[in-house]
């Protein structure tokens, strides 16, 4: 789903900024942002970790900046500075707030964080001029059979079920809408959204799916059966997983946030009841990203 958000009064904008402090280049990006918003009356909010990092290493005047201590904040726009991992963390911090996120890339590929360094100013100008689009991306919601909870039980990219030992594979019984589909003999299983189809799922041979598709992808990790392939199902269906492992436990990761569970704990995965809003430039499309980032369809014979 694509929608449009208008900032009716730029003089009341509240901009929340999150970033990857392990990439020092972020300081120059923060400088660019502060200089840009200096001429636009707005309230700047900095994540506490990022605020401390900038205070310790930068020469930026942070007077008037609001510190985001926890998840109790309000903003009109969120800026994520880093790679896709930083973007996923930003989405988790925002949760249900429905704050649109613009991803500024300091990482490698950047499917979610797709605004390059030289595009920062044009992208912000486009937002103020209302020349942009907002894509609503689906998430997955995870619950357990024994009541084990997660700090944030949602995943924008994928839910990964992986083995804990280095020798034996796992058996994963996968049911869809109450029907037993397959027992995966593998090192793990990735349950992905269309957004996550270009992430971990792709690395194990999963299909590329346009973000607007209403699907869930099941991709085995190092399957012991050569005739087992990734499976795509409607995102209105419910996935149930039962794991059997010699180690008596397994690892489940929601967008990289991992937890070890007892193998008796079953997982129930379904589409979340809210979406994440991602700001995209009008000249950036999914297929452009595939071609530019993955060299998709490039013919080297010419």
């Amino acid at each position: 789903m694509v929608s449009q958000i208008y900032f009716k009064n730029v003089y009341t904008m509240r901009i929340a900024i999150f970033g990857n402090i392990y990439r020092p280049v972020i300081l120059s990006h923060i400088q660019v942002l502060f200089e840009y918003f200096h001429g636009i009356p707005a309230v700047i909010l900095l994540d506490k970790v990022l605020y401390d990092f900038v205070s310790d290493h930068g020469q930026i005047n942070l007077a008037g900046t609001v510190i985001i201590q926890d998840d109790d904040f309000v903003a009109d726009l969120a800026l994520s500075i880093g790679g896709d991992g930083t973007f996923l963390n930003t989405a988790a911090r925002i949760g249900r707030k429905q704050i649109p996120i613009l991803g500024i890339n300091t990482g490698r590929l950047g499917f979610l964080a797709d605004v390059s360094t030289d595009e920062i100013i044009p992208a912000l100008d486009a937002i103020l001029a209302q020349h942009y689009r907002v894509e609503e991306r689906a998430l997955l919601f995870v619950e357990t059979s024994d009541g084990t909870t997660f700090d944030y039980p949602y995943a924008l990219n994928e839910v990964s079920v992986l083995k804990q030992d280095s020798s034996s594979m796992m058996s994963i019984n996968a049911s869809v809408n109450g029907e037993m589909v397959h027992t995966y003999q593998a090192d793990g299983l990735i349950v992905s959204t269309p957004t996550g189809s270009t992430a971990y799922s792709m690395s194990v041979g999963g299909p590329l799916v346009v973000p607007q598709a209403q699907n869930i992808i099941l991709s085995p990790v190092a399957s012991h059966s050569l005739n087992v392939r990734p499976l795509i199902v409607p995102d209105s269906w419910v996935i149930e997983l039962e794991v059997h492992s010699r180690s008596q436990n397994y690892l489940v990761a929601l967008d990289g946030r991992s937890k070890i569970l007892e193998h008796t704990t079953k997982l129930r995965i379904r589409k979340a009841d809210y979406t994440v809003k991602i700001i995209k430039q009008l000249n950036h499309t999914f297929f452009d990203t595939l071609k530019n980032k993955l060299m998709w369809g490039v013919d080297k014979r010419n």
Side-chain angles (χ1 to χ4, degrees):
M1 177 180 180
V2 176
S3 61
Q4 188 75 43
I5 293 177
Y6 297 99
F7 299 115
K8 298 179 180 179
N9 185 353
V10 297
Y11 295 97
T12 60
M13 283 183 65
R14 293 173 61 88
I15 300 100
I17 304 178
F18 302 84
N20 181 357
I21 65 172
Y22 298 104
R23 289 185 178 274
V25 69
I26 194 174
L27 292 171
S28 62
H29 289 70
I30 295 292
Q31 181 71 54
V32 168
L33 293 174
F34 270 71
E35 290 177 354
Y36 180 87
F37 288 114
H38 178 72
I40 303 173
V43 178
I44 304 297
L45 299 83
L46 276 184
D47 179 48
K48 177 64 164 58
V49 175
L50 182 57
Y51 181 93
D52 291 342
F53 179 78
V54 174
S55 298
D56 294 340
H57 297 85
Q59 302 296 322
I60 302 172
N61 182 5
L62 298 177
T65 302
V66 177
I67 302 175
I68 301 175
Q69 298 277 8
D70 48 35
D71 295 334
D72 186 19
F73 65 93
V74 177
D76 300 297
L77 167 68
L79 303 178
S80 174
I81 309 175
D84 285 350
T86 303
F87 192 102
L88 293 173
N89 291 334
T90 300
R93 292 291 301 278
I94 288 175
R96 295 177 175 273
K97 297 181 187 298
Q98 295 296 284
I99 301 170
I101 309 170
L102 178 70
I104 298 172
N105 186 29
T106 64
R108 296 181 179 87
L109 286 178
F111 277 89
L112 294 169
D114 63 348
V115 175
S116 62
T117 300
D118 57 358
E119 292 177 319
I120 294 177
I121 300 303
L124 293 175
D125 285 343
I127 290 175
L128 295 182
Q130 301 175 3
H131 294 156
Y132 64 96
R133 71 181 188 277
V134 174
E135 296 181 356
E136 298 194 25
R137 301 289 184 88
L139 301 97
L140 298 174
F141 171 69
V142 184
E143 54 188 343
T144 62
S145 61
D146 62 1
T148 299
T149 59
F150 303 93
D151 291 337
Y152 180 67
Y154 300 92
L156 176 57
N157 265 2
E158 74 277 312
V159 177
S160 306
V161 176
L162 304 168
K163 68 177 186 176
Q164 274 293 283
D165 57 273
S166 60
S167 56
S168 60
M169 68 185 78
M170 300 191 303
S171 295
I172 306 172
N173 297 330
S175 298
V176 177
N177 272 5
E179 179 182 355
M180 176 64 181
V181 173
H182 184 66
T183 297
Y184 292 93
Q185 305 286 343
D187 285 355
L189 180 68
I190 299 170
V191 181
S192 167
T193 65
T195 297
S197 71
T198 53
Y200 196 1
S201 176
M202 179 183 69
S203 74
V204 298
L208 300 180
V209 180
V210 296
Q212 293 77 18
Q214 299 179 336
N215 300 119
I216 297 175
I217 309 159
L218 283 74
S219 302
V221 179
S223 173
H224 191 60
S225 300
L226 294 178
N227 60 351
V228 173
R229 294 292 181 264
L231 176 67
I232 301 176
V233 301
D235 64 7
S236 59
W237 291 11
V238 177
I239 313 297
E240 293 179 305
L241 304 179
E242 180 180 3
V243 178
H244 298 281
S245 171
R246 289 184 186 177
S247 63
Q248 306 298 301
N249 56 42
Y250 63 95
L251 183 144
V252 59
L254 284 66
D255 285 345
R257 304 180 306 275
S258 61
K259 193 165 194 171
I260 296 176
L261 300 178
E262 297 292 330
H263 74 142
T264 54
T265 302
K266 301 176 184 178
L267 297 178
R268 183 181 176 88
I269 304 170
R270 58 179 172 81
K271 181 181 177 181
D273 60 356
Y274 74 95
T275 59
V276 168
K277 296 182 182 296
I278 302 179
I279 293 179
K280 291 292 184 181
Q281 300 176 83
L282 294 181
N283 62 339
H284 281 197
T285 70
F286 176 72
F287 296 107
D288 287 336
T289 303
L290 288 183
K291 295 171 185 176
N292 295 331
K293 304 285 187 177
L294 296 181
M295 306 300 290
W296 184 71
V298 173
D299 190 345
K300 292 293 187 180
R301 293 173 296 179
N302 295 329

